[in-house]
Amino acid sequence: MSSTAEHHHDDHHHGPAKGFMRWVTTTNHKDIGTMYLIFSLVMFMVGGFMALIVRAELFVPGLQLVDPHFFNQMTTMHALIMVFGAIMPGMVGFANWQVPLMIGAPDMALPRLNNWSFWILPFAFSLILSGLFFFGGGPASGWTLYAPLTLQGGIGVDLTIFAIHMMGISSIMGAINVIVTVFNMRAPGMTLMKMPLFVWTWVITAFLLIAVMPVFAGAVTMVLTDRHFGTAFFDPAGGGDPVLYQHIFWFFGHPEVYIMILPAFGIISQIIPTFSRKKLFGYESMVFATAGIAFLSFIVWAHHMFTVGMPLAGELYFMYATMLIAVPTGVKIFNWVSTMWRGSMTFETPMLYAIAVVFLFTIGGLSGLMLAIVPADFQYHDTYFVVAHFHYVLFSGAIMAMMGGVFYWLPKWTGHMYDERLGKWQFWLTTIFFNITFFPQHFLGLAGMPRRIPDYNLQFAEFNFMSSVGAMGLGITQLLFIYIIYKAVKGGEKATTEVWEGAEGLEWTVPSPAPYHTFETPPVVK
């Protein structure tokens, strides 16, 4: 072949890239959604393994397995990896897959940006994890990275700061992509108030991300300059204030917890109407409640800081503002229950998850209301009661909603039905072990056991034993979750448009890209 022919051949690759390069270079929202979800699952297992190290140390009183400093690195890394590696990328994976399908768009608005948003993440988490292997190890400050704890520590802390910047860039680009897609690429007739609730929760989440990720970036940058460049933002010796760090962190951190939970609300707002065979009750109030939660999330941050010695007026304000969030959240719970009320309910795996989320998330919400009461919080603060509270919000809120979402959409994603019997086993084992793990921690906290401590008084032995046994069971159960997904991807019965008996005309059967459609006529039910 002549050189000109070779050049001609090289310049025109026909068809998409194959194999590995397909995934590196893809701009397809489904491929990118799949990569986010797989990444999330891997990080979920890594973060879960770290939690098991923590629970293994706390299995019995005394110091046995690990050095206390390493124990603190594990609590910190577990949290950072679960929040920024498992929950957030997982939710972005759902957004990538479902938002274009739900609004009838051919893809995300900014497909190259979409690819970059994902590929930043494996490098960011390689940096965080590599910190464990360097002198001084990773951060050992809790996921909040409070100064002065982060003003000490080795290169692992710096790597973590750099990784947080990378994750922030990824999150902001992903959020911009969702907003541009939803505001510019809806199918004709798809008005904002006709969008599926999952899309609404993600639009609102995207605005939260754009608002608060730069705040977090600023906070860790100030830590970095305090560590290496002679500033004293958080160092009292130079006129700084460690409490300033807490204000900046929680101004990010409180909206952040809603960034994790709002898309989960969106997922179960899709699942519950499907298996109740009814439209979602109170659609508009759900949209406004979601927006209300997002707004309020910005003005309650210091409820994480009741014990720093703020003035009484500040404590009262933050107490009442925090309790106010219970109103829109209560509206959502009420609407989900009302949707199920007198519906033709069936209890496939996704619906079991959705009901469990409503029930267990409410427990987390009520313990949050307890924490909002200032004099009570003086007792609860930094005890295992707080650990129990946020795991009821994040595990049985965000993670279980994602598991329900995976079972709900797997037939659409893979074209194969998952194994319903195994799915139900995985649900019940997860739910039971979750409660065995975290419910006793409420009692430990009320009895005064502090968080982030590798040893404890003998009086706490029984509940810690239960908690650790539950955690081991919870971890092992997730191997079944991976097996079910693997099995569905590989094969299994073909999914039809009527995946679940009698649920024809469901939202998730919208083809991609959606045909030109006014969305006025109801789907024909056979």
Side-chain angles (χ1 to χ4, degrees):
M1 200 197 303
S2 72
S3 59
T4 47
E6 277 174 51
H7 280 285
H8 183 78
H9 182 71
D10 288 345
D11 288 347
H12 300 281
H13 288 298
H14 292 293
K18 294 278 188 287
F20 178 66
M21 285 313 286
R22 166 191 159 186
W23 297 98
V24 175
T25 60
T26 182
T27 52
N28 178 309
H29 73 100
K30 297 176 179 179
D31 283 352
I32 294 170
T34 300
M35 292 194 297
Y36 267 112
L37 289 164
I38 291 170
F39 177 77
S40 164
L41 190 56
V42 170
M43 287 294 123
F44 178 56
M45 298 313 280
V46 172
F49 181 70
M50 292 175 171
L52 292 185
I53 294 174
V54 170
R55 284 310 333 163
E57 175 59 65
L58 297 172
F59 191 55
V60 287
L63 288 170
Q64 43 272 330
L65 287 174
V66 296
D67 162 59
H69 182 64
F70 183 72
F71 178 89
N72 286 345
Q73 288 177 52
M74 284 296 99
T75 57
T76 304
M77 302 288 278
H78 160 69
L80 287 172
I81 283 170
M82 286 307 204
V83 168
F84 297 109
I87 297 178
M88 290 171 72
M91 292 301 184
V92 177
F94 279 99
N96 259 302
W97 252 105
Q98 294 306 130
V99 167
L101 304 189
M102 286 177 163
I103 63 171
D107 201 295
M108 295 294 278
L110 307 161
R112 301 288 177 97
L113 196 73
N114 206 9
N115 174 290
W116 194 38
S117 302
F118 171 76
W119 280 110
I120 287 173
L121 291 177
F123 294 95
F125 282 89
S126 304
L127 276 182
I128 287 197
L129 287 165
S130 68
L132 287 171
F133 304 106
F134 287 108
F135 178 73
S141 50
W143 83 284
T144 53
L145 306 173
Y146 274 6
L149 295 171
T150 37
L151 302 185
Q152 292 106 39
I155 193 174
V157 179
D158 301 308
L159 291 170
T160 303
I161 289 170
F162 186 38
I164 284 167
H165 281 113
M166 292 169 74
M167 296 178 315
I169 292 166
S170 168
S171 290
I172 289 168
M173 293 193 306
I176 289 170
N177 217 338
V178 169
I179 289 171
V180 177
T181 304
V182 170
F183 286 142
N184 288 314
M185 297 181 67
R186 299 192 307 281
M190 167 72 70
T191 61
L192 288 175
M193 284 319 243
K194 288 199 172 111
M195 299 193 308
L197 250 202
F198 177 74
V199 182
W200 259 117
T201 55
W202 243 108
V203 171
I204 290 167
T205 300
F207 280 107
L208 286 180
L209 277 167
I210 290 170
V212 301
M213 289 313 290
V215 177
F216 192 28
V220 293
T221 304
M222 289 153 88
V223 169
L224 190 77
T225 59
D226 274 14
R227 281 169 60 85
H228 299 296
F229 301 105
T231 57
F233 292 111
F234 310 128
D235 184 357
D241 182 2
V243 176
L244 172 65
Y245 177 86
Q246 297 191 25
H247 278 291
I248 301 170
F249 177 85
W250 286 115
F251 189 78
F252 147 81
H254 199 79
E256 165 65 26
V257 298
Y258 288 97
I259 286 165
M260 289 188 276
I261 203 64
L262 291 181
F265 288 171
I267 292 170
I268 58 173
S269 300
Q270 303 299 131
I271 295 175
I272 287 175
T274 297
F275 296 101
S276 304
R277 312 297 190 280
K278 276 173 70 188
K279 275 176 67 172
L280 184 73
F281 181 88
Y283 172 90
E284 277 191 41
S285 64
M286 288 296 251
V287 173
F288 292 127
T290 310
I293 289 169
F295 170 74
L296 291 171
S297 76
F298 282 100
I299 56 171
V300 297
W301 77 91
H303 65 210
H304 297 269
M305 305 166 53
F306 283 147
T307 54
V308 299
M310 69 176 86
L312 183 62
E315 289 183 330
L316 284 172
Y317 163 75
F318 282 107
M319 175 168 83
Y320 290 128
T322 301
M323 290 183 157
L324 206 55
I325 285 197
V327 177
T329 314
V331 168
K332 294 178 95 64
I333 305 281
F334 176 82
N335 284 5
W336 289 322
V337 174
S338 302
T339 305
M340 293 186 274
W341 177 249
R342 299 184 64 175
S344 308
M345 288 171 70
T346 53
F347 300 97
E348 287 82 358
T349 311
M351 185 58 158
L352 292 175
Y353 267 112
I355 294 169
V357 169
V358 173
F359 184 78
L360 297 171
F361 176 82
T362 302
I363 294 176
L366 293 173
S367 60
L369 212 47
M370 294 167 67
L371 289 160
I373 301 166
V374 173
D377 184 72
F378 280 15
Q379 296 297 112
Y380 308 141
H381 185 81
D382 252 334
T383 70
Y384 261 80
F385 188 84
V386 178
V387 179
H389 155 71
F390 71 69
H391 282 91
Y392 269 84
V393 187
L394 283 177
F395 192 98
S396 62
I399 300 271
M400 285 174 79
M402 284 161 75
M403 288 179 176
V406 166
F407 285 114
Y408 184 56
W409 281 307
L410 256 183
K412 178 172 183 62
W413 294 342
T414 63
H416 300 292
M417 197 55 189
Y418 62 88
D419 186 321
E420 185 68 67
R421 196 176 58 88
L422 289 181
K424 285 194 167 72
W425 268 102
Q426 192 268 342
F427 165 77
W428 284 110
L429 289 170
T430 297
T431 305
I432 290 163
F433 282 130
F434 164 75
N435 283 292
I436 294 171
T437 305
F438 294 107
F439 207 81
Q441 294 181 4
H442 292 102
F443 307 141
L444 288 170
L446 293 177
M449 179 172 162
R451 300 163 64 174
R452 298 176 180 155
I453 308 280
D455 192 11
Y456 51 85
N457 194 302
L458 281 172
Q459 74 193 49
F460 303 129
E462 286 84 357
F463 283 139
N464 271 298
F465 177 79
M466 285 172 66
S467 190
S468 288
V469 169
M472 301 300 158
L474 188 58
I476 292 164
T477 301
Q478 303 327 310
L479 299 173
L480 176 60
F481 183 55
I482 291 174
Y483 173 70
I484 295 167
I485 295 170
Y486 173 76
K487 200 173 150 197
V489 171
K490 278 303 191 211
E493 61 175 295
K494 284 266 178 278
T496 59
T497 46
E498 291 101 19
V499 180
W500 289 286
E501 203 56 43
E504 300 97 318
L506 290 173
E507 162 281 318
W508 86 231
T509 62
V510 173
S512 165
Y516 179 87
H517 194 297
T518 63
F519 294 91
E520 290 298 340
T521 52
V524 180
V525 177
K526 293 192 197 62

